[in-house]
């Protein structure tokens, strides 16, 4: 809606019969989740989004009738009968959608062509690993034994922040956790790199940290076992329509509940009077007022630009003053090369492969970290990403944001040349591993970390935000449980999204549920939530027409 036609939320004195008004900044998953839960609980909400699409980093764009899906590799909660799936079904994220589930999480291939596949079934995985290296029977059997135990647990605590959990819910959680406390403690205390160092076989020693496509560096064993067990239960699949499809479905759920999203509406500052947030000012000076404001956009932007650095807390200071920019705390940016190919890949081809690069390949790939390249056949994930008879391949690697930012700032021509170098490398690399594919490539589109920052606003293009299992994770837990997603000294204001609730999509969605439960207490509302019940078959048209995405420059 154009600015001229956009209704303004003016100041008002809220009467006893008036629904409280809540303004939400950002239509990412955290913002949409907050809006949906607040609407269900009786508030009147409005989301202001700087971009033209929902989802933030959970997005996609199109080129030449190909859809390049950017975010989801697997989604926790695609199954049933657990907290994560309940959140997604309350948000309508999976309405009418089929789910692609894979029998393996990833395959890792070294420079010499040796490969290992990480099957989700522990029996099959154990047989496969023992065939590769019988001498490593002890660590192989230990890992697979723990995987079997995680498969039996299947617990996902994403519904209620601990301070608001009733005694009955706390006791139910304890009944689940206590029998396996030693398992959780041991696998959370054992770093994957240390465990992988126990293998004699060099391929297994190098490959295990890449189960999740790229080496997450600080992860212990626990998340690997947890997510592989989830995949075994078909609870970590890929939803039809992918990332933008997920965002569109949550947006549809939100608007069906009476919510409203204003796109191309960039918030310049949060309005504060007497240490209370009272509304927002948009670019151009337009002001909107509400009873409560929730920021679900980039964390650094919220604290330092929208609030001018006037309100903070010890937890926020630690995050954005001490930890921001430290590579051991924040995920690096990602370089993505999407490839549109005329022709279809064999359905038996592995859907995801991490290639460990030689020194020569690493030197040829601009600003590569970890000397690895992930190649995913995205056409195997969902229908609609490529026209009939064609395929989409997604190649990614962790990279240094500072390299790309400085290059784009000082030498735009060199910046585009390096992006072309990525495209040329990917073309040659795919030809080596899939002979004949180079001649069938119709388009290659490269996105750097600065691309992500420009189009989504996320700081330094870090689509995953804070690294889990670090001090940052501990601070976020304190921010949720002690500070209750608020800033001391500022009333009428809350925080949500990946920078304050955690970096995965389910944690971003859960942050919206948590913050709504907290603000319901302040606004005198009863928190309510229910599954959307949408059963209409999902279709690719909900992404928006491809020509429309082209015109909007979603890139």
């Amino acid at each position: 809606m154009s600015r001229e036609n956009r209704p303004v939320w003016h100041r008002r004195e809220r009467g006893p019969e008036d629904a409280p008004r809540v303004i939400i900044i950002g239509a990412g998953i955290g913002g949409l989740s907050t809006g949906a839960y607040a609407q269900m609980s009786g508030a009147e909400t409005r989301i202001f989004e700087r971009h033209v699409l929902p989802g933030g980093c959970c997005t996609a764009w199109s080129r030449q009738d190909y859809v390049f899906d950017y975010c989801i590799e697997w989604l926790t909660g695609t199954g049933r009968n657990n907290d994560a799936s309940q959140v997604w079904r309350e948000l309508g994220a999976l309405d009418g959608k089929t789910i692609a589930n894979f029998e393996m999480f990833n395959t890792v291939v070294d420079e010499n062509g040796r490969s290992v596949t990480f099957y989700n079934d522990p029996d099959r995985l154990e047989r496969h690993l023992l065939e590769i290296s019988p001498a490593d029977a002890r660590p192989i059997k230990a890992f697979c034994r723990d995987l079997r135990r995680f498969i039996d647990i299947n617990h996902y605590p994403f519904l209620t922040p601990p301070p608001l959990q009733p005694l009955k819910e706390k006791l139910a959680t304890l009944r689940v956790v206590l029998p396996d406390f030693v398992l959780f403690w041991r696998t959370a205390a054992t770093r994957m790199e240390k465990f992988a160092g126990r293998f004699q076989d060099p391929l297994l020693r190098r490959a295990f940290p890449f189960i999740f496509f790229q080496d997450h560096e600080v992860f212990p064993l626990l998340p690997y076992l947890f997510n592989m067990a989830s995949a075994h239960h078909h609870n970590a699949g890929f939803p039809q329509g992918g990332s933008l499809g997920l965002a569109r479905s949550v947006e549809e759920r939100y608007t069906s509940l009476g919510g409203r999203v204003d796109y191309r509406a960039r918030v310049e500052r949060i309005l504060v009077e007497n240490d209370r947030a009272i509304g927002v000012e948009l670019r151009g000076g337009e002001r909107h007022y509400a009873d409560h404001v929730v920021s679900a956009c980039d964390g650094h932007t919220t604290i330092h630009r929208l609030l001018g650095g006037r309100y903070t807390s010890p937890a926020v200071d630690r995050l954005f003053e001490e930890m921001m920019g430290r590579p051991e705390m924040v995920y690096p940016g990602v370089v993505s090369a999407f490839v549109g190919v005329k022709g279809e890949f064999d359905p038996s081809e592995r859907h995801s492969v991490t290639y460990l690069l030689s020194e020569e390949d690493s030197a040829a790939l601009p600003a590569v970290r970890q000397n690895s390249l992930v190649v995913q056949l995205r056409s195997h994930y969902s229908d609609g990403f490529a026209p009939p008879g064609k395929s989409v391949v997604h190649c990614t690697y962790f990279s240094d944001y500072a390299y790309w930012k400085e290059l784009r700032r000082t030498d735009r021509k060199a910046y585009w040349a390096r992006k072309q170098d990525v495209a040329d490398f990917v073309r040659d690399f795919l030809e080596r591993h899939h002979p004949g594919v180079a001649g069938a490539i119709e388009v290659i589109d490269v996105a750097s970390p600065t691309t992500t920052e420009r189009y989504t606003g996320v700081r330094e293009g870090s689509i995953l935000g804070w690294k889990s299992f670090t001090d940052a994770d501990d601070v976020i837990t304190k921010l949720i449980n002690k500070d209750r997603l608020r800033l001391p000294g500022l009333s009428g204001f809350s925080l949500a999204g990946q920078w304050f609730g955690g970096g995965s999509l389910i944690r971003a969605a859960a942050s919206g549920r948590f913050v709504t439960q907290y603000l319901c207490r302040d606004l005198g509302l009863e928190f309510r939530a229910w599954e959307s019940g949408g059963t209409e078959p999902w279709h690719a048209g909900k992404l928006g027409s491809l020509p429309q995405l082209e015109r909007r420059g979603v890139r």
Side-chain angles (χ1 to χ4, degrees):
M1 178 174 288
S2 68
R3 182 181 303 164
E4 292 75 15
N5 297 324
R6 184 162 56 219
V8 174
W9 273 9
H10 296 286
R11 284 181 183 265
R12 66 165 190 179
E13 290 292 330
R14 178 188 166 198
E17 303 300 320
D18 293 328
R21 284 180 169 177
V22 179
I23 285 175
I24 300 159
I25 306 169
I29 295 302
L32 291 169
S33 171
T34 303
Y37 284 116
Q39 288 289 143
M40 283 187 263
S41 299
E44 181 183 1
T45 70
R46 190 166 179 179
I47 298 175
F48 292 102
E49 167 58 45
R50 54 176 270 176
H51 199 16
V52 297
L53 291 173
C57 291
C58 189
T59 192
W61 60 88
S62 71
R63 290 290 181 271
Q64 299 181 24
D65 290 340
Y66 293 96
V67 174
F68 296 154
D69 187 78
Y70 184 62
C71 178
I72 299 175
E73 292 176 311
W74 78 92
L75 185 71
T76 299
T78 54
R80 285 282 189 178
N81 302 318
N82 59 79
D83 287 3
S85 66
Q86 181 176 329
V87 170
W88 291 129
R89 294 178 195 282
E90 288 170 350
L91 295 176
L94 305 178
D95 283 357
K97 295 180 180 178
T98 58
I99 304 295
N101 292 290
F102 301 103
E103 62 183 8
M104 63 195 71
F105 221 99
N106 191 32
T107 295
V108 180
V109 179
D110 72 9
E111 308 92 324
N112 301 312
R114 293 186 70 213
S115 68
V116 54
T117 296
F118 292 98
Y119 296 103
N120 299 314
D121 177 77
D123 296 334
R124 186 176 183 185
L125 176 63
E126 184 173 305
R127 289 194 300 270
H128 175 61
L129 295 177
L130 288 172
E131 288 173 359
I132 293 174
S133 180
D136 285 310
R138 188 171 180 177
I140 288 169
K141 291 183 176 181
F143 185 85
C144 294
R145 181 172 58 249
D146 284 345
L147 179 56
R148 292 184 186 96
R149 293 185 65 185
F150 270 86
I151 284 172
D152 292 337
I153 296 169
N154 197 28
H155 180 59
Y156 305 82
F158 293 116
L159 291 182
T160 309
L164 299 184
Q165 287 179 0
L167 180 60
K168 182 179 179 180
E169 187 173 336
K170 291 180 179 179
L171 291 175
T173 300
L174 285 174
R175 281 196 296 271
V176 173
V177 171
L178 282 179
D180 296 291
F181 175 78
V182 174
L183 173 68
F184 294 148
W185 176 83
R186 176 173 54 78
T187 56
T190 305
R191 289 277 291 268
M192 172 54 87
E193 280 77 5
K194 182 177 180 180
F195 177 80
R198 295 166 57 185
F199 289 99
Q200 298 179 37
D201 185 277
L203 172 62
L204 297 187
R205 190 164 55 247
R206 296 173 64 197
F208 259 76
F210 288 88
I211 292 175
F212 291 168
F213 317 119
Q214 285 145 330
D215 182 0
H216 289 246
E217 296 174 343
V218 296
F219 272 16
L221 287 177
L222 188 149
Y224 294 96
L225 296 163
F226 173 88
N227 282 283
M228 291 178 75
S230 297
H232 179 79
H233 284 297
H234 289 179
N235 197 52
F238 188 89
Q240 182 183 11
S243 305
L244 184 55
L246 185 89
R248 281 293 196 201
S249 293
V250 179
E251 176 198 44
E252 185 175 318
R253 169 66 164 158
Y254 169 63
T255 56
S256 74
L257 291 164
R260 171 195 175 94
V261 185
D262 289 89
Y263 291 106
R264 296 188 178 91
R266 180 171 181 143
V267 174
E268 289 295 325
R269 67 188 182 105
I270 295 166
L271 301 175
V272 177
E273 284 186 1
N274 300 319
D275 294 324
R276 180 175 186 84
I278 60 170
V280 297
E281 182 177 302
L282 307 185
R283 175 172 287 184
E286 186 178 297
R287 292 186 172 190
H288 296 261
Y289 295 88
D291 302 295
H292 201 96
V293 176
V294 179
S295 182
C297 66
D298 177 71
H300 190 273
T301 298
T302 297
I303 302 302
H304 293 283
R305 186 170 67 80
L306 301 185
L307 288 170
R310 290 174 293 163
Y311 298 94
T312 185
S313 71
V316 167
D317 283 344
R318 285 200 67 193
L319 288 173
F320 295 102
E321 300 299 330
E322 296 179 26
M323 297 179 179
M324 179 61 74
R326 289 170 57 184
E328 70 274 22
M329 297 293 175
V330 183
Y331 276 105
V334 173
V335 172
S336 290
F338 289 94
V339 185
V341 180
K342 186 176 182 180
E344 296 181 334
F345 285 87
D346 190 318
S348 65
E349 286 271 7
R350 295 165 294 194
H351 72 286
S352 177
V353 180
T354 297
Y355 292 95
L356 305 179
L357 301 178
S358 66
E359 291 184 9
E360 182 180 0
D361 280 339
S362 295
L365 195 56
V368 65
R369 294 180 55 163
Q370 300 186 347
N371 297 336
S372 63
L373 180 71
V374 182
V375 177
Q376 296 179 333
L377 305 183
R378 298 295 276 189
S379 305
H380 289 184
Y381 288 63
S382 176
D383 295 334
F385 287 166
K390 298 183 180 182
S391 305
V392 170
V393 181
H394 186 198
C395 302
T396 59
Y397 64 91
F398 280 155
S399 189
D400 292 313
Y401 164 83
Y403 170 87
W404 295 99
K405 181 69 173 180
E406 180 66 13
L407 200 60
R408 190 176 189 277
R409 185 183 68 84
T410 60
D411 191 339
R412 193 69 61 88
K413 185 176 180 180
Y415 170 78
W416 286 103
R418 296 294 78 73
K419 291 181 73 171
Q420 184 59 50
D421 288 343
V422 174
D424 293 342
F425 178 93
V426 164
R427 183 188 301 273
D428 294 341
F429 191 84
L430 291 177
E431 177 65 21
R432 269 187 270 159
H433 293 276
H434 301 276
V437 75
I441 292 175
E442 295 187 319
V443 58
I444 300 180
D445 196 50
V446 177
S448 74
T450 58
T451 309
T452 304
E453 185 179 57
R454 292 201 319 278
Y455 283 94
T456 69
V458 67
R459 188 169 176 81
E460 298 188 359
S462 179
I463 63 173
L464 294 172
W466 305 110
K467 289 184 178 180
S468 299
F469 302 96
T470 65
D471 289 345
D473 216 19
D474 295 336
V475 176
I476 287 173
T477 299
K478 178 182 177 183
L479 188 63
I480 294 171
N481 296 341
K482 184 177 179 181
D483 296 350
R484 303 196 173 199
L485 293 165
R486 303 289 177 84
L487 293 175
L490 179 62
S491 61
F493 179 76
S494 300
L495 303 160
Q498 72 170 38
W499 292 105
F500 303 106
S504 67
L505 283 173
I506 183 57
R507 291 183 69 179
S511 77
R513 202 179 198 276
F514 289 177
V515 79
T516 303
Q517 288 170 301
Y518 285 135
L519 70 85
C520 277
R521 289 198 160 195
D522 287 354
L523 298 175
L525 300 174
E526 177 188 357
F527 176 78
R528 293 181 294 169
W530 61 89
E531 291 193 10
S532 67
T535 57
E536 179 185 351
W538 195 91
H539 56 88
K542 291 186 178 181
L543 291 174
S545 69
L546 298 186
Q548 182 184 39
L549 295 183
E550 288 280 5
R551 286 196 305 272
R552 288 176 170 179
V554 182
R555 162 72 169 75

